[in-house]
Amino acid sequence: GENVEQHPSTLSVQEGDSAVIKCTYSDSASNYFPWYKQELGKRPQLIIDIRSNVGEKKDQRIAVTLNKTAKHFSLHITETQPEDSAVYFCAASKVRAGGTSYGKLTFGQGTILTVHP
Amino acid sequence: EAGVAQSPRYKIIEKRQSVAFWCNPISGHATLYWYQQILGQGPKLLIQFQNNGVVDDSQLPKDRFSAERLKGVDSTLKIQPAKLEDSAVYLCASSFDRGRYEQYFGPGTRLTVT
């Protein structure tokens, strides 16, 4: 089955700095890669996702890049703010050619991001 | 649009007791998932439903866990009997499918088994 490795496990940055979290996956058939933010005691919230037909996607201060050959993808947060502090999870899934999803998300272990004011 | 609803939010039981969790997905979402999130780890899929049929239950400990989604809408996850290692947050998620892949999570049920 799919295996997703995520690094680093903890990341501490100063407000305004950039943060980068990296994930690798094992199943070359995976083609959908979402990122979730989870604040303490809260539900995981989808913040950005990318599909394998795209190499990069950006949404304001966050961006995700995908390298299918190397089977890794990364989350980039620029101009970090204290409210970005949370646990971030990457995940991988397979989507059928017809557009419906196998659905099963395999998650990484999570990265605790702390942004110091 | 209303989000995924779950209840109860917290549950404390003793080992060998039984417990049930309820989930109501976002309206119109055909696919429903139950994940187990142990403290400090990412969520792990237990079971996936497409309407009222099971798509994947390969990681569900079937000797003690069961789940159903009888009318293709809300779902119940049951543990009987519970073990100490079942202490975790049980997250329900749903997705629209049909070309939309995003999964939306409920607030979860935090289970403590003593």
Side-chain angles (χ1 to χ4, degrees):
Chain A
E2 174 68 282
N3 183 51
V4 177
E5 297 286 337
Q6 182 173 345
H7 300 279
S9 57
T10 61
L11 180 59
S12 182
V13 300
Q14 289 296 126
E15 182 177 2
D17 288 350
S18 295
V20 180
I21 303 170
K22 299 181 179 181
C23 290
T24 59
Y25 60 99
S26 61
D27 189 343
S28 57
S30 290
N31 54 8
Y32 173 62
F33 307 94
W35 286 87
Y36 285 85
K37 174 184 180 182
Q38 188 173 31
E39 297 176 16
L40 190 63
K42 302 280 185 69
R43 73 187 74 192
Q45 297 265 20
L46 178 68
I47 56 171
I48 195 167
D49 57 10
I50 191 167
R51 301 173 195 177
S52 60
N53 58 346
V54 176
E56 183 175 358
K57 183 176 178 181
K58 189 173 181 179
D59 183 4
Q60 299 183 347
R61 295 186 298 109
I62 59 173
V64 58
T65 58
L66 171 66
N67 183 326
K68 287 188 295 182
T69 303
K71 291 190 285 188
H72 68 71
F73 55 112
S74 300
L75 177 72
H76 304 253
I77 306 174
T78 58
E79 300 173 21
T80 54
Q81 301 168 2
E83 49 265 41
D84 294 329
S85 296
V87 181
Y88 290 81
F89 291 98
C90 63
S93 178
K94 286 182 278 194
V95 176
R96 292 192 185 99
T100 56
S101 174
Y102 286 117
K104 175 181 176 177
L105 288 174
T106 301
F107 283 84
Q109 300 91 328
T111 297
I112 301 172
L113 173 65
T114 303
V115 181
H116 299 282
Chain B
E1 134 185 297
V4 177
Q6 289 187 248
S7 67
R9 293 295 313 278
Y10 306 92
K11 191 74 177 179
I12 301 173
I13 61 172
E14 295 181 351
K15 58 184 180 183
R16 291 187 290 275
Q17 286 187 326
S18 62
V19 64
F21 313 127
W22 174 83
C23 171
N24 189 265
I26 294 172
S27 178
H29 281 196
T31 307
L32 183 149
Y33 317 80
W34 283 101
Y35 289 88
Q36 180 192 57
Q37 186 175 25
I38 293 172
L39 187 64
Q41 299 181 18
K44 182 186 80 172
L45 181 76
L46 293 175
I47 189 167
Q48 175 187 347
F49 293 94
Q50 178 89 17
N51 297 307
N52 60 351
V54 175
V55 174
D56 186 343
D57 64 356
S58 58
Q59 297 188 94
L60 186 74
K62 298 180 186 64
D63 57 334
R64 299 183 301 106
F65 286 64
S66 64
E68 59 184 14
R69 193 185 184 199
L70 292 176
K71 295 183 179 179
V73 181
D74 56 353
S75 175
T76 303
L77 176 70
K78 296 179 181 177
I79 307 175
Q80 182 179 12
K83 293 185 175 181
L84 295 177
E85 57 262 36
D86 298 333
S87 293
V89 175
Y90 291 84
L91 293 162
C92 179
S94 69
S95 64
F96 180 71
D97 215 359
R98 295 177 182 270
R100 299 275 304 273
Y101 318 129
E102 300 89 344
Q103 291 187 27
Y104 297 93
F105 284 82
T109 297
R110 181 176 297 278
L111 173 67
T112 302
V113 182
T114 63

